[in-house]
Amino acid sequence: MGTIRHSSSVEVPRDRVFAYINDHQNVPNFFFGVTRFVPVTEATDGVGSQFAVTMKVGPKTLTSTVETVEWVENELIRLESVEGFSANTTWNFVDAGAGTQVDVEFVYTLPGGLAGRALGSLVEPFAGQAVRQTDKNLVEQVSRLA
């Protein structure tokens, strides 16, 4: 299992930052490697909403279905995999001066054996790059909301 944690601040009110990240249509725009994030339930946010996710990791394409298991408006979004590649993501939002601190945790589980080691050799170097690029994208895009 791998865990990546990252924190950043943006000079935009928390409700706007939360709304941007919570809008499933924005996810491929800011989340590095995600090429598809589409609802598979009628609900598109809140507990119980589910999304089909496609993520490009180097030459490999990973698919997953994630479900929102915790959701507190302007505070928390937690997604867990229910099918496919096992990855859980938690977003926390707190006021930071005139802006918002965004904390994200991405936890993934690789399969065992040779397949898991091969996938790990792709995912682990990708993860650091993905976090840095996602942070850069998010700060740039959310800053436009100010």
Side-chain angles (χ1 to χ4, degrees), residues 22 43-51 67-72 79:
N22 189 57
T44 59
D45 69 358
V47 173
S49 58
Q50 292 187 356
F51 304 89
E67 180 174 348
T68 307
V69 296
E70 287 184 73
W71 188 93
V72 179
L79 305 167

Side-chain angles (χ1 to χ4, degrees), residues 55-119:
M55 179 178 266
K56 188 84 167 140
V57 179
K60 184 87 171 145
T61 299
L62 304 175
T63 59
S64 182
T65 300
V66 298
E67 180 174 348
T68 307
V69 296
E70 287 184 73
W71 188 93
V72 179
E73 189 169 13
N74 299 328
E75 293 180 18
L76 171 74
I77 302 169
R78 190 161 80 84
L79 305 167
E80 288 187 357
S81 293
V82 293
E83 187 177 297
F85 180 67
S86 178
N88 304 326
T89 307
T90 304
W91 297 89
N92 285 292
F93 307 83
V94 295
D95 291 332
T100 306
Q101 178 178 315
V102 180
D103 299 315
V104 63
E105 179 180 77
F106 183 72
V107 179
Y108 59 92
T109 304
L110 301 173
L114 292 174
R117 284 196 295 276
L119 186 55

